[in-house]
Amino acid sequence: MLIANGIEDEDKWLAEGIAGIQHSAFYLHRALDSNNLREALKYSAQLLSELRTSRLSPHKYYELYMRAFDELRRLEMFFKDENRHGCPVVDLYELVQHAGNILPRLYLLCTVGSIYIKSKETPAKDVLKDLVEMCRGVQHPIRGLFLRSYLAQISRDKLPDIASDYEGEGDTFMDAVEFVLQNFAEMNKLWVRMQHQGSLREKEKLDKERNELRDLVGKNLHVLSQIEGVDLDIYRDTVLPKVLEQVVNCKDELAQYYLMDCIIQVFPDEYHLQTLETLLGAFPQLQSAVDIKTVLSRLMERLSNYAASSPEVLPDFLQVEAFTKLSNAIGKVIEAQVDMPIVGAITLYVSLLTFTLHVHPDRLDYVDQVLGACVKKLSGKAKLQDSRATKQVVALLSTPLEKYNNIVTALTLSNYPRVMDHLDAATNKVMAIVIIQSIMKNNTCVSTSDKVEVLFELIKGLIKDMDGTSTDELDEEDFKEEQNSVARLMHMLYNDDPEEMLNIMNTVWKYIMAGGSKRLPFTVPPLVFSALKLVRRLHGQDGDVAGEEVPATPKKIFQLLNQIIEALSVVPAPELALRLYLQCAEAANDCDLEPVTYEFFTQAFVLYEEEVADSKAQVTAIHLIIGTLQRMNVFGVENRDTLTHKATGYSAKLLKKPDQCRAVYACSHLFWVDDQDGIKDGERVLLCLKRSLRIANAAQQMVNVTRGSSGPVTLFVEILNKYLYFFEKGSPQITTAAIQGLIELIKTEMQSDSSTSNPASDAFFASTLRYIQFQKQKGGAMGEKYDPIKL
């Protein structure tokens, strides 16, 4: 209620002030129209007396000021025309100084002073000096600020600058500089004094009001930057020292923050670069509550953009040692402001790093130095818990990746992993994902075991449990995505030198083993395939790759692979391990290493016997074994017979009859390999097919018993197709009579009264018969072979 009443009262006072201005303006206009100077001065003084109020906030006072300002512009036009009021401008300048109250007197004096300068009857510098001194007569903060703002506004186009209409003899532009600096200093003092106008309870309100007036003070710095005579030397020797003196000595955090930012924004980048030491020297002297990090960050951003916009200026950055000065200044600021939050310090380092990467991208020592300073600041502290600070550290670490587009460059920075060590486990993972994404996006190859070791130290949050957390506590989907990222990373580790590639794989294996059993199913397969790629590369090279004197040989790699896959037994993941053993067996076969190939098959069979218990998994596994074994050409008769016998035996022991049947007829391919030197044992092929036929018949009878009708004849049709395959391949044991008998058997089963019609089986059989008919009609040698078969 009190606030509401205060607002209503202020609106009332503003309305009264505006009404007073309007009333005086009415009589002022009449005096101006009648060219009555004395009346005009009387009513303009009355009008300006409304600005003496102390009851309005800055915002409301500004409204009142603008009403008065509009009338002053009209009055100025009247003063310009001497013929109208009949008084020389020098006499007019003396006359207005007799106004009764100081505030109207000074507004009128500034207005006439503007005309006086334009008349050029006296040097502009003398009038300006007189005006700026006279304005000291008003020490009320708000009234004084608006008065001096009016002075700055009416004088800005009348300064004795170089090549201006008011340039005098000698370096009179320095008088302009002195005038603006003096006005700035007085305005800043008034602005700072505002904070003492109310009680401590009103501090927040006062700060808000002061903030509304800051541009009145800052405009002086803008005017300074526009003075033609202010070159680098004048700026360095006069302007900057005096402005900084005001900034530091005012000891007001609001003023210091705004004015430092204003300096950075209004003066040229070149000046900042050449006066960097002076400018940076002021920062440690600022109040501890000043948001220095933001101001310094803006300075570094401007300098970065300056360097990017004009490469020709880069030598200047080196000449003035910009990086060293900025780095030292940041260190002094952090040291001086002991209460600065950690997020503030890290933000400064992020800005410095961004500056460094823009200006000195080739100086990795500078980048590492920034990271090292951040490590020093974080040392001795617990893991970061502040989310804002953590976000800044991630930005700090991500910046080099974005700049260089190459993680290998970041891996050479000794302090990079040390910064990551200060992240909590969750953020460490986030950063690790960022690193991996950078590698994948830029297709970066990490080519030495040393760099791989550093890389895996960086992403250790993904490859092992940290801070006592367990994989059981992780979200399943997130965990899978993380581990898939690591798996993709494996394929980016490569070196043309086999020995170094082997070293890389050993390094990776060391880290994988420390990651726990839950991660192995994700990380082992890519490592295995990377090793197999190396094996095939070695085998494709000229010379004896199997010699023990060669540092990296297929045998040594297969030994490592055996250890790697064996580790999956602790997961357990028998199906995955079995698949990988078979992949290794195939690679060993390509390298003509029979004992190694046999060993991998043995391991696969042991897993099948002891670990694969699920019936569906058994079916999949036995078909994988049969398919891989069929492609082997390295085995002698004894080893091959042993393995094929085992495969056939396991096939016949599957749980379901249809699965048995299909696995057994698949085994027939183990005895007939259609290569130039391949095995062609028609007797054993026929044996497998007959055995599968018996199993199919038993399955059909079982269906008859359980369902009371015969089941589909799909198995018989599948076996018929196998007969046709080996018949075409030229197996003498597969005769037309056998095929004819099987066709008749299928027809009989399908025509049986108890038979259950199955569209899929019927279509399958019909397609098979059409194929036989097609071969008969095609003629030639194959047509003659098929001709005896009656459909």
Side-chain angles (χ1 to χ4, degrees):
M1 180 63 86
L2 288 174
I3 295 174
N5 288 340
I7 293 172
E8 289 175 3
D9 288 344
E10 195 174 20
D11 289 340
K12 176 185 173 185
W13 295 329
L14 174 62
E16 289 176 355
I18 291 173
I21 289 175
Q22 290 173 338
H23 178 266
S24 299
F26 173 77
Y27 290 103
L28 173 62
H29 296 166
R30 287 176 60 177
L32 295 177
D33 292 341
S34 61
N35 296 331
N36 190 330
L37 176 61
R38 188 172 296 277
E39 289 293 305
L41 290 177
K42 173 185 172 182
Y43 289 112
S44 60
Q46 287 182 7
L47 180 150
L48 291 167
S49 292
E50 298 295 338
L51 296 177
R52 295 170 57 200
T53 180
S54 301
R55 298 185 294 185
L56 298 178
S57 65
H59 180 70
K60 300 292 186 182
Y61 190 90
Y62 176 75
E63 290 187 42
L64 197 65
Y65 166 80
M66 289 307 297
R67 296 287 185 127
F69 180 81
D70 291 340
E71 300 304 329
L72 284 172
R73 302 307 293 176
R74 184 163 184 171
L75 185 64
E76 184 183 6
M77 298 299 295
F78 175 72
F79 287 155
K80 278 183 182 179
D81 190 353
E82 187 178 321
N83 292 327
R84 289 183 63 189
H85 54 72
C87 182
V89 68
V90 62
D91 295 339
L92 188 59
Y93 189 68
E94 291 291 332
L95 182 62
V96 295
Q97 296 185 44
H98 296 290
N101 191 277
I102 189 168
L103 188 66
R105 182 194 315 156
L106 291 174
Y107 270 105
L108 289 171
L109 191 64
C110 290
T111 306
V112 176
S114 169
I115 308 300
Y116 197 11
I117 295 172
K118 274 195 169 184
S119 71
K120 299 182 183 179
E121 293 180 17
T122 192
K125 65 176 184 176
D126 294 338
V127 179
L128 292 173
K129 183 177 181 181
D130 193 31
L131 291 175
V132 78
E133 290 289 344
M134 289 266 198
C135 285
R136 284 184 176 174
V138 178
Q139 289 297 307
H140 184 277
I142 295 180
R143 294 198 291 263
L145 273 171
F146 278 94
L147 172 63
R148 286 189 175 275
S149 176
Y150 179 68
L151 172 61
Q153 191 159 349
I154 60 103
S155 64
R156 64 183 303 170
D157 61 340
K158 303 172 184 69
L159 297 176
D161 194 6
I162 293 175
S164 77
D165 292 340
Y166 310 101
E167 181 183 12
E169 295 181 4
D171 295 333
T172 54
F173 72 86
M174 284 302 298
D175 296 301
V177 172
E178 291 297 334
F179 165 75
V180 178
L181 281 172
Q182 188 174 348
N183 199 46
F184 161 71
E186 294 298 331
M187 288 184 77
N188 188 45
K189 289 173 185 175
L190 292 167
W191 187 41
V192 171
R193 197 181 303 149
M194 273 186 68
Q195 65 183 304
H196 305 299
Q197 293 295 108
S199 64
L200 290 174
R201 288 178 298 177
E202 297 177 315
K203 186 177 187 311
E204 186 176 342
K205 178 187 174 187
L206 282 170
D207 285 345
K208 182 180 178 184
E209 290 178 350
R210 289 183 62 213
N211 211 36
E212 292 173 355
L213 296 176
R214 62 183 185 174
D215 285 346
L216 297 181
V217 183
K219 282 178 181 176
N220 289 281
L221 298 182
H222 180 70
V223 171
L224 272 174
S225 70
Q226 300 298 311
I227 296 177
E228 289 291 335
V230 179
D231 57 13
L232 176 58
D233 291 334
I234 299 297
Y235 176 77
R236 178 177 53 229
D237 299 335
T238 303
V239 174
L240 183 61
K242 290 191 175 182
V243 172
L244 289 179
E245 181 183 3
Q246 285 296 318
V247 173
V248 172
N249 290 341
C250 74
K251 299 188 182 304
D252 175 64
E253 59 189 65
L254 180 62
Q256 287 181 338
Y257 171 77
Y258 170 70
L259 293 175
M260 289 300 287
D261 188 48
C262 205
I263 292 169
I264 291 167
Q265 299 302 329
V266 302
F267 290 106
D269 298 324
E270 179 193 356
Y271 290 10
H272 295 323
L273 183 61
Q274 297 299 329
T275 60
L276 199 53
E277 191 167 3
T278 304
L279 182 59
L280 294 174
F283 281 96
Q285 303 175 59
L286 303 182
Q287 299 298 104
S288 59
V290 176
D291 185 11
I292 294 178
K293 71 176 187 303
T294 302
V295 183
L296 260 176
S297 296
R298 286 174 182 167
L299 172 61
M300 288 185 277
E301 182 181 357
R302 281 205 62 164
L303 291 175
S304 298
N305 294 336
Y306 178 49
S309 65
S310 179
E312 294 82 13
V313 303
L314 290 179
D316 295 339
F317 281 84
L318 291 170
Q319 185 179 6
V320 303
E321 298 181 329
F323 170 79
T324 303
K325 289 175 181 176
L326 286 167
S327 181
N328 292 339
I330 289 172
K332 288 177 182 177
V333 166
I334 293 172
E335 187 178 335
Q337 297 198 354
V338 291
D339 296 330
M340 179 185 284
I342 193 70
V343 63
I346 299 172
T347 302
L348 283 174
Y349 289 128
V350 171
S351 298
L352 179 58
L353 185 62
T354 304
F355 166 83
T356 306
L357 292 170
H358 272 92
V359 181
H360 307 292
D362 55 328
R363 293 297 299 268
L364 290 178
D365 56 326
Y366 284 175
V367 177
D368 208 28
Q369 189 176 324
V370 178
L371 296 174
C374 187
V375 171
K376 184 179 178 181
K377 181 63 181 176
L378 295 171
S379 62
K381 296 180 174 61
K383 300 284 187 183
L384 286 173
Q385 299 298 324
D386 183 355
S387 61
R388 295 178 305 154
T390 300
K391 187 176 180 181
Q392 287 300 316
V393 172
V394 171
L396 183 78
L397 294 168
S398 301
T399 303
L401 301 182
E402 294 167 2
K403 176 63 180 178
Y404 295 119
N405 292 330
N406 188 349
I407 186 62
V408 175
T409 304
L411 297 181
T412 63
L413 302 170
S414 61
N415 287 305
Y416 198 93
R418 295 174 64 197
V419 176
M420 281 195 69
D421 286 340
H422 291 279
L423 296 172
D424 61 78
T427 314
N428 203 298
K429 285 184 179 180
V430 171
M431 196 60 230
I433 292 289
V434 170
I435 290 171
I436 293 176
Q437 287 174 343
S438 172
I439 292 173
M440 303 308 295
K441 177 185 174 183
N442 299 299
N443 201 27
T444 305
C445 176
V446 185
S447 58
T448 67
S449 57
D450 293 340
K451 286 189 173 64
V452 169
E453 182 128 18
V454 177
L455 173 60
F456 274 61
E457 276 297 317
L458 293 180
I459 64 166
K460 62 187 175 186
L462 295 179
I463 58 180
K464 69 178 183 180
D465 299 335
M466 297 181 68
D467 298 337
T469 57
S470 168
T471 51
D472 297 331
E473 302 170 12
L474 302 174
D475 180 81
E476 192 68 27
E477 288 300 317
D478 290 344
F479 178 76
K480 286 181 179 179
E481 182 56 39
E482 290 168 4
Q483 298 313 303
N484 285 332
S485 296
V486 177
R488 287 191 287 271
L489 174 65
M490 301 280 194
H491 299 291
M492 306 307 296
L493 315 177
Y494 179 80
N495 194 302
D496 286 329
D497 178 34
E499 184 178 4
E500 187 59 33
M501 190 64 202
L502 185 57
N503 290 336
I504 289 173
M505 288 188 294
N506 279 313
T507 301
V508 173
W509 176 232
K510 177 182 71 175
Y511 279 93
I512 285 177
M513 280 298 291
S517 59
K518 193 172 181 181
R519 291 180 173 86
L520 291 176
F522 297 92
T523 52
V524 164
L527 181 58
V528 168
F529 282 103
S530 180
L532 292 177
K533 190 186 296 184
L534 176 59
V535 166
R536 290 191 164 90
R537 183 149 54 92
L538 285 170
H539 180 63
Q541 293 174 351
D542 295 332
D544 179 17
V545 297
E548 292 298 328
E549 71 280 356
V550 180
T553 66
K555 280 186 178 180
K556 287 184 180 179
I557 299 169
F558 283 129
Q559 289 171 0
L560 175 63
L561 283 168
N562 203 28
Q563 296 173 26
I564 294 172
I565 300 172
E566 192 176 351
L568 288 172
S569 61
V570 300
V571 177
E575 292 94 340
L576 176 59
L578 186 142
R579 289 171 179 268
L580 294 176
Y581 277 133
L582 293 177
Q583 289 287 340
C584 292
E586 195 164 349
N589 173 79
D590 294 342
C591 294
D592 297 323
L593 297 173
E594 182 178 4
V596 178
T597 310
Y598 189 84
E599 175 63 24
F600 281 125
F601 264 104
T602 303
Q603 296 285 2
F605 279 125
V606 168
L607 278 176
Y608 179 85
E609 291 173 1
E610 298 179 358
E611 301 292 341
V612 182
D614 181 74
S615 60
K616 288 184 178 179
Q618 285 181 337
V619 172
T620 303
I622 198 64
H623 279 281
L624 286 170
I625 291 172
I626 294 169
T628 307
L629 186 57
Q630 191 264 342
R631 293 192 294 274
M632 298 298 101
N633 54 26
V634 72
F635 291 127
V637 175
E638 184 178 348
N639 284 341
R640 186 175 185 87
D641 282 350
T642 302
L643 295 174
T644 52
H645 177 74
K646 277 183 172 290
T648 308
Y650 291 139
S651 300
K653 292 177 183 176
L654 291 171
L655 180 63
K656 297 178 180 178
K657 291 292 182 183
D659 293 335
Q660 287 180 21
C661 176
R662 292 185 173 103
V664 169
Y665 72 57
C667 287
S668 63
H669 289 279
L670 298 176
F671 307 109
W672 192 282
V673 180
D674 197 32
D675 294 333
Q676 185 176 358
D677 301 321
I679 301 165
K680 292 183 173 58
D681 189 344
E683 291 287 345
R684 297 182 71 176
V685 168
L686 183 61
L687 193 62
C688 283
L689 294 178
K690 285 183 174 180
R691 190 173 184 182
S692 65
L693 196 55
R694 287 197 300 272
I695 296 170
N697 193 49
Q700 188 76 352
Q701 291 176 1
M702 192 177 295
V703 171
N704 293 344
V705 172
T706 55
R707 297 184 185 173
S709 64
S710 63
V713 295
T714 306
L715 287 175
F716 292 120
V717 182
E718 290 174 10
I719 296 169
L720 171 61
N721 277 270
K722 289 297 174 186
Y723 268 85
L724 295 177
Y725 172 81
F726 289 110
F727 176 69
E728 289 189 4
K729 292 298 180 184
S731 174
Q733 285 76 19
I734 307 299
T735 62
T736 54
I739 294 172
Q740 188 72 58
L742 190 50
I743 291 172
E744 297 302 326
L745 173 63
I746 294 169
K747 287 181 176 179
T748 303
E749 287 290 335
M750 293 177 71
Q751 291 168 2
S752 145
D753 293 338
S754 61
S755 173
T756 303
S757 176
N758 184 290
S761 298
D762 295 348
F764 189 13
F765 182 55
S767 295
T768 305
L769 295 181
R770 281 199 302 274
Y771 176 78
I772 296 173
Q773 184 64 38
F774 170 76
Q775 293 291 1
K776 291 177 68 172
Q777 292 173 352
K778 191 167 66 171
M782 191 59 67
E784 291 180 6
K785 285 187 69 172
Y786 272 97
D787 195 54
I789 300 174
K790 306 297 183 186
L791 302 177

